[in-house]
Each structure stands twice: as structure tokens, then as C-alpha cells.
Amino acid sequence: MSPLSWERVFTAWAPDFPTLFFVLLSGLGYLVCARRVPGWSRQRTAAFLAGLATIPLVTCSFLGVYDTTLFWPRAVQTVTLLMITPLLLALGAPLTLVLAICPARRLREIGRNRLARALTFPLVVTVLLIAPPLLLYLTPLYQLCLRNSAVDALVRLGLILCGFVYFWTRLRVDPTPRGDHHLVSFSISFAEVVADAALGLVLWLGPLRAPGFYHALARTWGPDPRTDQIIGAGVLWIGGDLAGLPFVGALLRRWLRDDERQAKRIDTELDNREQSAAPSGLWWENDPVLAERFKRERDA
């Protein structure tokens, strides 16, 4: 393997045909469905396609070329496929698009049954977000991904799916089985920050991952294995937190909009109640003291 240089950053590309086929098929299917839905948002389309574009960007570029030679490129892939790609895909509202094209009653019933609600329970969603990086880097799965391309592809797909479930249920751009409070989403995000820090510290201070595999490469250029892993630990720790900032901003904006809509709805209901309960006639006719006085005067 040639040493990684600035020139190689822009020129080292290796097509991953299964990944490219998946991306092209998904993008084509989304565009075909979007054309069939009148007035479908261009912003949603752009977000979904941007999410798909990040997949070959981290798997076919120099990051994919060197992900079995250096530790840190795979860390960049992990952060992107778990935090950035799914966020953009969820903003594209693919489930809403599917329901608009195929308004099947059975699909809606499945999305509202007990199993769907259980799978999207906040604790389950938290595990789906936190567990994948821990399992990847703290178990033999990491070395297995380095040696087996099929397992590597399945792990990448799993990262995207786990991240999508998280952003789908938290952003709620698409319909979801549950309607948890936004504080739940912030709690899960905080747990993810803690998990990133813990994983980063373990990789920074702990033993080397897959030392036998990297030693067999006999790489004589670039950072040494310890420095390489420390860089990757920083990517997973700090990069994961930075990648989550756009989601926190989007979640905060949605929370404020929901509170504003709820406040307007409450004001409207109060106004309607006041109007329906408003007394008829002149104001003094509804005052009990004045009404009694005018009645005595009429009787006299």
C-alpha cells in the first residue's frame, strides 16, 4: 500500500460495487417516488440524496482504501455512518414518501402495533445508538471486519440502520409509533456523549486493537500503531459529539415550534370557551345587584 499523502487523499479511490449499487438503487427509487407525489419538498429530496452520497464518500474514497491499513479512517467511517448519514436520510422523510405512494392500511397498522412501540421504546433506541461502536471496537468484531469484507459490509449497514432508527424516532419527521417528550431525546443524546467519551478513553489508554493484523502489514510510513489508535479515539470521541450538534439544533428548533403550536392551540381553546360562556345582553343586566335593583324599580 502506497503511503497516504495529500495527493493520495484526492486520487486514491476504489469502487465498492455492492455499495454503489445500493446507493444508486435507493436514490433512484426515492426520486421516482418523489416525482409521483405532488409538491414533495425539494429540501427533503436534497437531504436524502446527500445522506446517500456520504456512503460512497467514506467507503470508496481514500477512507475506504486505507480503512484496513490505518485505524483512524475506519473511525471516520463509523462516525459518519452512525451519526451523519442516518440524520440526512431521516430528514428526507422516506417513510412518509412510501406511505404516500403505497397507502396500505396494513403498513399503518404494523407501524402502530405493540411490537413497533416496544422496538422504538427510548431505552431500546438508546441501546441501538450506543451499542454499535462499543461492540465494534471492544469485541473481536473489529478484527473480523478487517479480515472479512462481507462482515464489514454488514456492520456498515447495521450502523446506518441503527442510526436511522434513532433519528427517525427522535426527529419525528416521519410518523412514529411513539410520541415521547423531547426531553427524552436530549437524555439519549447525553447518554451518547458519555458513551463516546468512555469509548474514546478506552481506546486512548487501553490496549491496541487487532495488533497482530496491523503488525502483519509491516507498515513503515505514517503514525505508529499507538498514535494511530489515539487519533481514531479522538475521532470517535470528539467527532461523534460534533456530528451530533446539528441534530441537537434541529431537535431544539422542533421543540420550540411544538411549544409555540401548543401555546396557540391553548389560547384558541381558551378564547372559544370565553366566547361560548360570554353572557348575552347588556352588562348591567347580568350584574345580580343591579338586576335586582332595576327589577324593584319596575315592580314599584
Side-chain angles (χ1 to χ4, degrees), residues 24-147:
L24 292 176
L25 184 63
S26 301
L28 181 61
Y30 187 96
L31 291 175
V32 170
C33 293
R35 287 178 61 87
R36 296 179 57 185
V37 178
W40 184 255
S41 172
R42 294 183 178 180
Q43 288 80 5
R44 289 183 175 181
T45 301
F48 189 85
L49 295 180
L52 290 178
T54 61
I55 300 175
L57 181 63
V58 297
T59 58
C60 300
S61 68
F62 78 98
L63 294 172
V65 174
Y66 288 90
D67 64 355
T68 57
T69 306
L70 294 167
F71 184 92
W72 68 264
R74 187 169 293 270
V76 176
Q77 291 178 348
T78 301
V79 171
T80 302
L81 296 179
L82 182 64
M83 298 296 296
I84 300 177
T85 301
L87 172 61
L88 295 171
L89 295 179
L91 290 175
L95 300 181
T96 300
L97 185 59
V98 171
L99 291 175
I101 298 297
C102 307
R105 180 180 178 182
R106 181 59 179 167
L107 291 176
R108 298 179 184 274
E109 291 177 352
I110 293 175
R112 297 169 182 167
N113 62 22
R114 292 183 178 179
L115 179 60
R117 290 179 59 84
L119 292 176
T120 55
F121 186 71
L123 181 59
V124 177
V125 175
T126 304
V127 172
L128 289 177
L129 180 67
I130 292 176
L134 299 177
L135 291 175
L136 176 59
Y137 288 99
L138 302 182
T139 69
L141 181 60
Y142 180 75
Q143 184 164 329
L144 187 59
C145 289
L146 294 175
R147 298 182 181 276

Side-chain angles (χ1 to χ4, degrees), residues 195-214:
D196 286 344
L199 178 60
L201 287 174
V202 170
L203 294 177
W204 181 17
L205 303 175
L208 294 176
R209 308 306 303 164
F213 179 86
Y214 288 116

Side-chain angles (χ1 to χ4, degrees), residues 145-167:
C145 289
L146 294 175
R147 298 182 181 276
N148 192 311
S149 59
V151 174
D152 190 19
L154 290 176
V155 169
R156 290 172 178 172
L157 180 61
L159 290 173
I160 296 174
L161 292 177
C162 290
F164 179 81
V165 171
Y166 170 67
F167 289 111

Side-chain angles (χ1 to χ4, degrees), residues 162-183:
C162 290
F164 179 81
V165 171
Y166 170 67
F167 289 111
W168 162 48
T169 57
R170 298 306 99 197
L171 285 175
R172 297 203 287 270
V173 177
D174 281 320
T176 59
R178 305 179 61 89
D180 301 309
H181 195 273
H182 292 293
L183 281 176

